[in-house]
PDB file of all heavy atoms in Angstrom:
ATOM      1  N   GLU S  26     -17.095 -18.021  18.861  1.00 96.00           N
ATOM      2  CA  GLU S  26     -16.832 -17.078  19.932  1.00 96.00           C
ATOM      3  C   GLU S  26     -17.447 -15.718  19.587  1.00 96.00           C
ATOM      4  O   GLU S  26     -17.342 -15.284  18.431  1.00 96.00           O
ATOM      5  CB  GLU S  26     -15.314 -16.916  20.024  1.00 96.00           C
ATOM      6  CG  GLU S  26     -14.768 -16.526  21.363  1.00 96.00           C
ATOM      7  CD  GLU S  26     -13.227 -16.581  21.335  1.00 96.00           C
ATOM      8  OE1 GLU S  26     -12.671 -17.681  21.592  1.00 96.00           O
ATOM      9  OE2 GLU S  26     -12.594 -15.556  21.004  1.00 96.00           O
ATOM     10  N   GLN S  27     -18.069 -15.066  20.524  1.00 94.00           N
ATOM     11  CA  GLN S  27     -18.645 -13.708  20.282  1.00 94.00           C
ATOM     12  C   GLN S  27     -17.549 -12.690  19.990  1.00 94.00           C
ATOM     13  O   GLN S  27     -16.481 -12.772  20.620  1.00 94.00           O
ATOM     14  CB  GLN S  27     -19.400 -13.270  21.539  1.00 94.00           C
ATOM     15  CG  GLN S  27     -20.864 -13.692  21.568  1.00 94.00           C
ATOM     16  CD  GLN S  27     -21.670 -12.698  22.372  1.00 94.00           C
ATOM     17  OE1 GLN S  27     -21.588 -11.494  22.188  1.00 94.00           O
ATOM     18  NE2 GLN S  27     -22.464 -13.223  23.300  1.00 94.00           N
ATOM     19  N   HIS S  32     -16.061 -12.650  13.732  1.00 98.00           N
ATOM     20  CA  HIS S  32     -15.078 -13.715  13.615  1.00 98.00           C
ATOM     21  C   HIS S  32     -15.248 -14.563  12.369  1.00 98.00           C
ATOM     22  O   HIS S  32     -14.279 -14.969  11.726  1.00 98.00           O
ATOM     23  CB  HIS S  32     -15.090 -14.584  14.879  1.00 98.00           C
ATOM     24  CG  HIS S  32     -14.573 -13.875  16.090  1.00 98.00           C
ATOM     25  ND1 HIS S  32     -15.002 -14.110  17.368  1.00 98.00           N
ATOM     26  CD2 HIS S  32     -13.642 -12.879  16.207  1.00 98.00           C
ATOM     27  CE1 HIS S  32     -14.349 -13.327  18.229  1.00 98.00           C
ATOM     28  NE2 HIS S  32     -13.505 -12.574  17.529  1.00 98.00           N
ATOM     29  N   TYR S  78      -6.606  -8.196   5.467  1.00 98.00           N
ATOM     30  CA  TYR S  78      -7.347  -6.964   5.847  1.00 98.00           C
ATOM     31  C   TYR S  78      -7.263  -5.958   4.728  1.00 98.00           C
ATOM     32  O   TYR S  78      -8.264  -5.278   4.412  1.00 98.00           O
ATOM     33  CB  TYR S  78      -6.864  -6.402   7.219  1.00 98.00           C
ATOM     34  CG  TYR S  78      -6.195  -5.034   7.132  1.00 98.00           C
ATOM     35  CD1 TYR S  78      -6.957  -3.900   6.831  1.00 98.00           C
ATOM     36  CD2 TYR S  78      -4.849  -4.845   7.368  1.00 98.00           C
ATOM     37  CE1 TYR S  78      -6.378  -2.648   6.743  1.00 98.00           C
ATOM     38  CE2 TYR S  78      -4.251  -3.606   7.294  1.00 98.00           C
ATOM     39  CZ  TYR S  78      -5.026  -2.499   6.983  1.00 98.00           C
ATOM     40  OH  TYR S  78      -4.438  -1.267   6.893  1.00 98.00           O
ATOM     41  N   HIS S  82     -10.515  -4.178   2.713  1.00 98.00           N
ATOM     42  CA  HIS S  82     -10.721  -2.722   2.623  1.00 98.00           C
ATOM     43  C   HIS S  82     -10.597  -2.217   1.157  1.00 98.00           C
ATOM     44  O   HIS S  82     -11.354  -1.375   0.741  1.00 98.00           O
ATOM     45  CB  HIS S  82      -9.808  -1.955   3.567  1.00 98.00           C
ATOM     46  CG  HIS S  82     -10.237  -2.012   5.016  1.00 98.00           C
ATOM     47  ND1 HIS S  82      -9.660  -1.252   6.000  1.00 98.00           N
ATOM     48  CD2 HIS S  82     -11.219  -2.740   5.635  1.00 98.00           C
ATOM     49  CE1 HIS S  82     -10.265  -1.531   7.168  1.00 98.00           C
ATOM     50  NE2 HIS S  82     -11.204  -2.441   6.967  1.00 98.00           N
ATOM     51  N   ALA S  87     -16.328   2.072  -1.590  1.00 96.00           N
ATOM     52  CA  ALA S  87     -15.673   3.365  -1.656  1.00 96.00           C
ATOM     53  C   ALA S  87     -14.255   3.272  -2.200  1.00 96.00           C
ATOM     54  O   ALA S  87     -13.672   4.280  -2.576  1.00 96.00           O
ATOM     55  CB  ALA S  87     -15.617   4.030  -0.254  1.00 96.00           C
ATOM     56  N   ALA S 107     -20.417  -2.766   6.797  1.00 98.00           N
ATOM     57  CA  ALA S 107     -19.948  -2.407   8.145  1.00 98.00           C
ATOM     58  C   ALA S 107     -19.130  -3.525   8.744  1.00 98.00           C
ATOM     59  O   ALA S 107     -18.022  -3.282   9.288  1.00 98.00           O
ATOM     60  CB  ALA S 107     -21.132  -2.077   9.015  1.00 98.00           C
ATOM     61  N   LEU S 111     -15.063  -3.577   9.825  1.00 98.00           N
ATOM     62  CA  LEU S 111     -14.597  -3.987  11.178  1.00 98.00           C
ATOM     63  C   LEU S 111     -13.723  -5.217  11.141  1.00 98.00           C
ATOM     64  O   LEU S 111     -12.725  -5.351  11.901  1.00 98.00           O
ATOM     65  CB  LEU S 111     -15.799  -4.265  12.072  1.00 98.00           C
ATOM     66  CG  LEU S 111     -16.669  -3.021  12.436  1.00 98.00           C
ATOM     67  CD1 LEU S 111     -17.858  -3.440  13.270  1.00 98.00           C
ATOM     68  CD2 LEU S 111     -15.810  -1.997  13.184  1.00 98.00           C
ATOM     69  N   ASP S 114     -10.327  -4.106  10.247  1.00 98.00           N
ATOM     70  CA  ASP S 114      -9.713  -3.447  11.428  1.00 98.00           C
ATOM     71  C   ASP S 114      -9.226  -4.479  12.459  1.00 98.00           C
ATOM     72  O   ASP S 114      -8.149  -4.342  13.005  1.00 98.00           O
ATOM     73  CB  ASP S 114     -10.722  -2.504  12.086  1.00 98.00           C
ATOM     74  CG  ASP S 114     -11.068  -1.268  11.186  1.00 98.00           C
ATOM     75  OD1 ASP S 114     -10.271  -1.016  10.256  1.00 98.00           O
ATOM     76  OD2 ASP S 114     -12.074  -0.614  11.493  1.00 98.00           O
ATOM     77  N   GLN S 117      -6.106  -6.334  11.376  1.00 98.00           N
ATOM     78  CA  GLN S 117      -4.867  -5.599  11.580  1.00 98.00           C
ATOM     79  C   GLN S 117      -4.408  -5.685  13.043  1.00 98.00           C
ATOM     80  O   GLN S 117      -3.247  -5.957  13.350  1.00 98.00           O
ATOM     81  CB  GLN S 117      -4.991  -4.104  11.148  1.00 98.00           C
ATOM     82  CG  GLN S 117      -3.669  -3.381  11.400  1.00 98.00           C
ATOM     83  CD  GLN S 117      -3.528  -1.969  10.784  1.00 98.00           C
ATOM     84  OE1 GLN S 117      -2.415  -1.482  10.705  1.00 98.00           O
ATOM     85  NE2 GLN S 117      -4.616  -1.325  10.379  1.00 98.00           N
ATOM     86  N   ALA S 118      -5.348  -5.491  13.956  1.00 98.00           N
ATOM     87  CA  ALA S 118      -5.007  -5.578  15.383  1.00 98.00           C
ATOM     88  C   ALA S 118      -4.519  -6.990  15.735  1.00 98.00           C
ATOM     89  O   ALA S 118      -3.551  -7.160  16.498  1.00 98.00           O
ATOM     90  CB  ALA S 118      -6.218  -5.207  16.253  1.00 98.00           C
ATOM     91  N   MET S 141       7.819  -6.249  15.441  1.00 98.00           N
ATOM     92  CA  MET S 141       6.707  -5.267  15.511  1.00 98.00           C
ATOM     93  C   MET S 141       7.027  -4.012  14.726  1.00 98.00           C
ATOM     94  O   MET S 141       6.203  -3.473  13.997  1.00 98.00           O
ATOM     95  CB  MET S 141       6.536  -4.920  16.971  1.00 98.00           C
ATOM     96  CG  MET S 141       5.298  -4.267  17.301  1.00 98.00           C
ATOM     97  SD  MET S 141       3.996  -5.465  17.507  1.00 98.00           S
ATOM     98  CE  MET S 141       4.659  -6.427  18.848  1.00 98.00           C
ATOM     99  N   SER S 150       1.464   4.576   6.771  1.00 98.00           N
ATOM    100  CA  SER S 150       1.380   5.589   5.724  1.00 98.00           C
ATOM    101  C   SER S 150       2.691   5.682   4.919  1.00 98.00           C
ATOM    102  O   SER S 150       2.714   6.289   3.856  1.00 98.00           O
ATOM    103  CB  SER S 150       1.022   6.941   6.319  1.00 98.00           C
ATOM    104  OG  SER S 150       2.116   7.506   6.981  1.00 98.00           O
ATOM    105  N   HIS S 151       3.794   5.140   5.469  1.00 97.00           N
ATOM    106  CA  HIS S 151       5.034   5.057   4.696  1.00 97.00           C
ATOM    107  C   HIS S 151       5.174   3.723   4.000  1.00 97.00           C
ATOM    108  O   HIS S 151       6.163   3.464   3.320  1.00 97.00           O
ATOM    109  CB  HIS S 151       6.232   5.318   5.594  1.00 97.00           C
ATOM    110  CG  HIS S 151       6.205   6.698   6.206  1.00 97.00           C
ATOM    111  ND1 HIS S 151       5.848   6.917   7.520  1.00 97.00           N
ATOM    112  CD2 HIS S 151       6.414   7.907   5.666  1.00 97.00           C
ATOM    113  CE1 HIS S 151       5.857   8.222   7.768  1.00 97.00           C
ATOM    114  NE2 HIS S 151       6.198   8.845   6.668  1.00 97.00           N
ATOM    115  N   VAL S 154      -0.413   1.198   3.306  1.00 98.00           N
ATOM    116  CA  VAL S 154      -1.572   2.099   3.224  1.00 98.00           C
ATOM    117  C   VAL S 154      -1.207   3.382   2.467  1.00 98.00           C
ATOM    118  O   VAL S 154      -2.027   3.906   1.685  1.00 98.00           O
ATOM    119  CB  VAL S 154      -2.125   2.405   4.626  1.00 98.00           C
ATOM    120  CG1 VAL S 154      -3.204   3.462   4.568  1.00 98.00           C
ATOM    121  CG2 VAL S 154      -2.668   1.160   5.295  1.00 98.00           C
ATOM    122  N   LEU S 159      -1.368   6.705  -2.509  1.00 95.00           N
ATOM    123  CA  LEU S 159      -0.702   7.236  -3.707  1.00 95.00           C
ATOM    124  C   LEU S 159      -1.386   6.711  -4.973  1.00 95.00           C
ATOM    125  O   LEU S 159      -1.562   7.430  -5.952  1.00 95.00           O
ATOM    126  CB  LEU S 159       0.773   6.806  -3.739  1.00 95.00           C
ATOM    127  CG  LEU S 159       1.711   7.465  -2.712  1.00 95.00           C
ATOM    128  CD1 LEU S 159       3.087   6.806  -2.762  1.00 95.00           C
ATOM    129  CD2 LEU S 159       1.832   8.956  -2.963  1.00 95.00           C
ATOM    130  N   MET S 161      -4.531   5.826  -5.337  1.00 91.00           N
ATOM    131  CA  MET S 161      -5.799   6.557  -5.497  1.00 91.00           C
ATOM    132  C   MET S 161      -5.568   7.969  -6.039  1.00 91.00           C
ATOM    133  O   MET S 161      -6.270   8.411  -6.965  1.00 91.00           O
ATOM    134  CB  MET S 161      -6.502   6.690  -4.135  1.00 91.00           C
ATOM    135  CG  MET S 161      -7.530   5.660  -3.873  1.00 91.00           C
ATOM    136  SD  MET S 161      -8.108   5.802  -2.170  1.00 91.00           S
ATOM    137  CE  MET S 161      -8.087   7.599  -1.929  1.00 91.00           C
ATOM    138  N   GLN S 172       7.372   7.770 -10.075  1.00 93.00           N
ATOM    139  CA  GLN S 172       6.284   7.857  -9.117  1.00 93.00           C
ATOM    140  C   GLN S 172       5.529   6.508  -9.045  1.00 93.00           C
ATOM    141  O   GLN S 172       5.098   6.107  -7.976  1.00 93.00           O
ATOM    142  CB  GLN S 172       5.325   9.001  -9.543  1.00 93.00           C
ATOM    143  CG  GLN S 172       4.095   9.189  -8.669  1.00 93.00           C
ATOM    144  CD  GLN S 172       4.422   9.778  -7.304  1.00 93.00           C
ATOM    145  OE1 GLN S 172       5.556   9.971  -6.944  1.00 93.00           O
ATOM    146  NE2 GLN S 172       3.376  10.017  -6.497  1.00 93.00           N
TER     147      GLN S 172
ATOM    148  N   GLU W  26       4.607  15.675   3.653  1.00 96.00           N
ATOM    149  CA  GLU W  26       5.232  14.423   3.254  1.00 96.00           C
ATOM    150  C   GLU W  26       4.229  13.593   2.470  1.00 96.00           C
ATOM    151  O   GLU W  26       3.083  13.484   2.817  1.00 96.00           O
ATOM    152  CB  GLU W  26       5.618  13.670   4.511  1.00 96.00           C
ATOM    153  CG  GLU W  26       6.791  12.728   4.435  1.00 96.00           C
ATOM    154  CD  GLU W  26       7.124  12.182   5.824  1.00 96.00           C
ATOM    155  OE1 GLU W  26       7.899  12.854   6.552  1.00 96.00           O
ATOM    156  OE2 GLU W  26       6.596  11.126   6.159  1.00 96.00           O
ATOM    157  N   GLN W  27       4.696  12.973   1.345  1.00 94.00           N
ATOM    158  CA  GLN W  27       3.811  12.093   0.563  1.00 94.00           C
ATOM    159  C   GLN W  27       3.415  10.875   1.381  1.00 94.00           C
ATOM    160  O   GLN W  27       4.261  10.333   2.101  1.00 94.00           O
ATOM    161  CB  GLN W  27       4.579  11.629  -0.696  1.00 94.00           C
ATOM    162  CG  GLN W  27       4.415  12.569  -1.865  1.00 94.00           C
ATOM    163  CD  GLN W  27       4.571  11.814  -3.188  1.00 94.00           C
ATOM    164  OE1 GLN W  27       3.934  10.797  -3.427  1.00 94.00           O
ATOM    165  NE2 GLN W  27       5.458  12.286  -4.034  1.00 94.00           N
ATOM    166  N   HIS W  32      -1.845  12.016   4.892  1.00 98.00           N
ATOM    167  CA  HIS W  32      -1.284  12.566   6.123  1.00 98.00           C
ATOM    168  C   HIS W  32      -2.128  13.732   6.637  1.00 98.00           C
ATOM    169  O   HIS W  32      -2.298  13.910   7.843  1.00 98.00           O
ATOM    170  CB  HIS W  32       0.179  12.998   5.883  1.00 98.00           C
ATOM    171  CG  HIS W  32       1.107  11.817   5.732  1.00 98.00           C
ATOM    172  ND1 HIS W  32       2.222  11.826   4.954  1.00 98.00           N
ATOM    173  CD2 HIS W  32       1.036  10.551   6.227  1.00 98.00           C
ATOM    174  CE1 HIS W  32       2.815  10.639   4.994  1.00 98.00           C
ATOM    175  NE2 HIS W  32       2.112   9.865   5.780  1.00 98.00           N
ATOM    176  N   TYR W  78      -8.721   6.749  14.952  1.00 98.00           N
ATOM    177  CA  TYR W  78      -9.053   5.864  13.848  1.00 98.00           C
ATOM    178  C   TYR W  78     -10.454   5.262  14.019  1.00 98.00           C
ATOM    179  O   TYR W  78     -11.205   5.120  13.052  1.00 98.00           O
ATOM    180  CB  TYR W  78      -7.965   4.792  13.665  1.00 98.00           C
ATOM    181  CG  TYR W  78      -8.425   3.342  13.865  1.00 98.00           C
ATOM    182  CD1 TYR W  78      -9.313   2.738  12.965  1.00 98.00           C
ATOM    183  CD2 TYR W  78      -7.942   2.592  14.921  1.00 98.00           C
ATOM    184  CE1 TYR W  78      -9.748   1.432  13.169  1.00 98.00           C
ATOM    185  CE2 TYR W  78      -8.371   1.270  15.132  1.00 98.00           C
ATOM    186  CZ  TYR W  78      -9.263   0.709  14.243  1.00 98.00           C
ATOM    187  OH  TYR W  78      -9.728  -0.562  14.473  1.00 98.00           O
ATOM    188  N   HIS W  82     -13.649   5.531  11.332  1.00 98.00           N
ATOM    189  CA  HIS W  82     -14.390   4.397  10.767  1.00 98.00           C
ATOM    190  C   HIS W  82     -15.853   4.328  11.289  1.00 98.00           C
ATOM    191  O   HIS W  82     -16.756   3.982  10.511  1.00 98.00           O
ATOM    192  CB  HIS W  82     -13.624   3.075  11.061  1.00 98.00           C
ATOM    193  CG  HIS W  82     -12.434   2.876  10.181  1.00 98.00           C
ATOM    194  ND1 HIS W  82     -11.702   1.706  10.127  1.00 98.00           N
ATOM    195  CD2 HIS W  82     -11.819   3.734   9.305  1.00 98.00           C
ATOM    196  CE1 HIS W  82     -10.692   1.862   9.250  1.00 98.00           C
ATOM    197  NE2 HIS W  82     -10.741   3.058   8.745  1.00 98.00           N
ATOM    198  N   ALA W  87     -21.297   3.551   5.958  1.00 96.00           N
ATOM    199  CA  ALA W  87     -21.735   2.165   6.191  1.00 96.00           C
ATOM    200  C   ALA W  87     -21.870   1.864   7.687  1.00 96.00           C
ATOM    201  O   ALA W  87     -22.463   0.858   8.060  1.00 96.00           O
ATOM    202  CB  ALA W  87     -20.728   1.186   5.580  1.00 96.00           C
ATOM    203  N   ALA W 107     -12.872   7.019   0.699  1.00 98.00           N
ATOM    204  CA  ALA W 107     -11.726   6.141   0.528  1.00 98.00           C
ATOM    205  C   ALA W 107     -10.548   6.611   1.362  1.00 98.00           C
ATOM    206  O   ALA W 107      -9.919   5.824   2.080  1.00 98.00           O
ATOM    207  CB  ALA W 107     -11.346   6.053  -0.957  1.00 98.00           C
ATOM    208  N   THR W 108     -10.295   7.913   1.305  1.00 98.00           N
ATOM    209  CA  THR W 108      -9.180   8.487   2.069  1.00 98.00           C
ATOM    210  C   THR W 108      -9.429   8.305   3.572  1.00 98.00           C
ATOM    211  O   THR W 108      -8.519   8.068   4.348  1.00 98.00           O
ATOM    212  CB  THR W 108      -8.941   9.962   1.706  1.00 98.00           C
ATOM    213  OG1 THR W 108      -8.713  10.019   0.293  1.00 98.00           O
ATOM    214  CG2 THR W 108      -7.743  10.537   2.435  1.00 98.00           C
ATOM    215  N   LEU W 111      -8.598   4.776   4.640  1.00 98.00           N
ATOM    216  CA  LEU W 111      -7.156   4.583   4.655  1.00 98.00           C
ATOM    217  C   LEU W 111      -6.509   5.345   5.811  1.00 98.00           C
ATOM    218  O   LEU W 111      -5.567   4.823   6.427  1.00 98.00           O
ATOM    219  CB  LEU W 111      -6.522   5.035   3.315  1.00 98.00           C
ATOM    220  CG  LEU W 111      -6.871   4.174   2.112  1.00 98.00           C
ATOM    221  CD1 LEU W 111      -6.251   4.783   0.848  1.00 98.00           C
ATOM    222  CD2 LEU W 111      -6.407   2.729   2.297  1.00 98.00           C
ATOM    223  N   ASP W 114      -6.952   3.263   8.826  1.00 98.00           N
ATOM    224  CA  ASP W 114      -6.032   2.104   8.752  1.00 98.00           C
ATOM    225  C   ASP W 114      -4.595   2.526   9.115  1.00 98.00           C
ATOM    226  O   ASP W 114      -3.891   1.837   9.846  1.00 98.00           O
ATOM    227  CB  ASP W 114      -6.053   1.494   7.363  1.00 98.00           C
ATOM    228  CG  ASP W 114      -7.366   0.784   7.027  1.00 98.00           C
ATOM    229  OD1 ASP W 114      -8.144   0.529   7.978  1.00 98.00           O
ATOM    230  OD2 ASP W 114      -7.642   0.534   5.848  1.00 98.00           O
ATOM    231  N   GLN W 117      -4.088   3.250  12.821  1.00 98.00           N
ATOM    232  CA  GLN W 117      -3.923   2.044  13.641  1.00 98.00           C
ATOM    233  C   GLN W 117      -2.482   1.531  13.533  1.00 98.00           C
ATOM    234  O   GLN W 117      -1.842   1.232  14.536  1.00 98.00           O
ATOM    235  CB  GLN W 117      -4.928   0.932  13.246  1.00 98.00           C
ATOM    236  CG  GLN W 117      -4.670  -0.294  14.104  1.00 98.00           C
ATOM    237  CD  GLN W 117      -5.718  -1.402  14.076  1.00 98.00           C
ATOM    238  OE1 GLN W 117      -5.767  -2.208  14.971  1.00 98.00           O
ATOM    239  NE2 GLN W 117      -6.592  -1.444  13.063  1.00 98.00           N
ATOM    240  N   ALA W 118      -1.946   1.494  12.323  1.00 98.00           N
ATOM    241  CA  ALA W 118      -0.563   1.043  12.120  1.00 98.00           C
ATOM    242  C   ALA W 118       0.401   1.979  12.860  1.00 98.00           C
ATOM    243  O   ALA W 118       1.358   1.493  13.475  1.00 98.00           O
ATOM    244  CB  ALA W 118      -0.239   0.973  10.666  1.00 98.00           C
ATOM    245  N   MET W 141       2.672  -3.432  23.731  1.00 98.00           N
ATOM    246  CA  MET W 141       2.121  -3.877  22.451  1.00 98.00           C
ATOM    247  C   MET W 141       1.010  -4.873  22.672  1.00 98.00           C
ATOM    248  O   MET W 141      -0.031  -4.822  22.053  1.00 98.00           O
ATOM    249  CB  MET W 141       3.251  -4.511  21.672  1.00 98.00           C
ATOM    250  CG  MET W 141       2.961  -4.700  20.249  1.00 98.00           C
ATOM    251  SD  MET W 141       3.300  -3.193  19.361  1.00 98.00           S
ATOM    252  CE  MET W 141       5.018  -2.929  19.714  1.00 98.00           C
ATOM    253  N   SER W 150     -10.710  -7.948  18.117  1.00 98.00           N
ATOM    254  CA  SER W 150     -12.062  -8.508  18.140  1.00 98.00           C
ATOM    255  C   SER W 150     -12.510  -8.886  19.539  1.00 98.00           C
ATOM    256  O   SER W 150     -13.692  -9.119  19.798  1.00 98.00           O
ATOM    257  CB  SER W 150     -12.136  -9.702  17.206  1.00 98.00           C
ATOM    258  OG  SER W 150     -11.506 -10.833  17.773  1.00 98.00           O
ATOM    259  N   HIS W 151     -11.553  -8.965  20.509  1.00 97.00           N
ATOM    260  CA  HIS W 151     -11.929  -9.187  21.899  1.00 97.00           C
ATOM    261  C   HIS W 151     -11.965  -7.857  22.666  1.00 97.00           C
ATOM    262  O   HIS W 151     -12.264  -7.863  23.837  1.00 97.00           O
ATOM    263  CB  HIS W 151     -10.937 -10.135  22.553  1.00 97.00           C
ATOM    264  CG  HIS W 151     -10.915 -11.489  21.935  1.00 97.00           C
ATOM    265  ND1 HIS W 151      -9.917 -11.921  21.099  1.00 97.00           N
ATOM    266  CD2 HIS W 151     -11.831 -12.500  21.972  1.00 97.00           C
ATOM    267  CE1 HIS W 151     -10.203 -13.129  20.672  1.00 97.00           C
ATOM    268  NE2 HIS W 151     -11.347 -13.523  21.167  1.00 97.00           N
ATOM    269  N   VAL W 154     -12.922  -3.276  18.624  1.00 98.00           N
ATOM    270  CA  VAL W 154     -13.608  -3.599  17.345  1.00 98.00           C
ATOM    271  C   VAL W 154     -14.704  -4.635  17.597  1.00 98.00           C
ATOM    272  O   VAL W 154     -15.781  -4.577  17.018  1.00 98.00           O
ATOM    273  CB  VAL W 154     -12.602  -4.077  16.266  1.00 98.00           C
ATOM    274  CG1 VAL W 154     -13.325  -4.531  15.035  1.00 98.00           C
ATOM    275  CG2 VAL W 154     -11.646  -2.913  15.942  1.00 98.00           C
ATOM    276  N   LEU W 159     -20.481  -6.078  18.268  1.00 95.00           N
ATOM    277  CA  LEU W 159     -21.595  -6.495  19.161  1.00 95.00           C
ATOM    278  C   LEU W 159     -22.673  -5.375  19.133  1.00 95.00           C
ATOM    279  O   LEU W 159     -23.866  -5.663  19.130  1.00 95.00           O
ATOM    280  CB  LEU W 159     -21.117  -6.668  20.587  1.00 95.00           C
ATOM    281  CG  LEU W 159     -20.224  -7.885  20.885  1.00 95.00           C
ATOM    282  CD1 LEU W 159     -19.670  -7.837  22.326  1.00 95.00           C
ATOM    283  CD2 LEU W 159     -20.988  -9.180  20.656  1.00 95.00           C
ATOM    284  N   GLN W 172     -25.608  -8.274  28.460  1.00 93.00           N
ATOM    285  CA  GLN W 172     -25.028  -8.206  27.099  1.00 93.00           C
ATOM    286  C   GLN W 172     -24.619  -6.766  26.797  1.00 93.00           C
ATOM    287  O   GLN W 172     -23.570  -6.522  26.138  1.00 93.00           O
ATOM    288  CB  GLN W 172     -26.086  -8.725  26.075  1.00 93.00           C
ATOM    289  CG  GLN W 172     -25.647  -8.655  24.615  1.00 93.00           C
ATOM    290  CD  GLN W 172     -24.565  -9.679  24.265  1.00 93.00           C
ATOM    291  OE1 GLN W 172     -24.066 -10.416  25.117  1.00 93.00           O
ATOM    292  NE2 GLN W 172     -24.207  -9.696  23.005  1.00 93.00           N
TER     293      GLN W 172
END
Side-chain angles (χ1 to χ4, degrees):
Chain S
E26 207 173 272
Q27 271 208 50
H32 289 149
Y78 116 68
H82 284 189
L111 293 177
D114 291 344
Q117 179 168 197
M141 194 84 60
S150 74
H151 298 104
V154 174
L159 289 174
M161 263 172 37
Q172 178 72 355
Chain W
E26 207 174 274
Q27 271 207 52
H32 289 149
Y78 118 66
H82 284 190
T108 303
L111 292 177
D114 291 344
Q117 178 167 199
M141 194 83 60
S150 75
H151 298 104
V154 174
L159 289 173
Q172 178 71 357

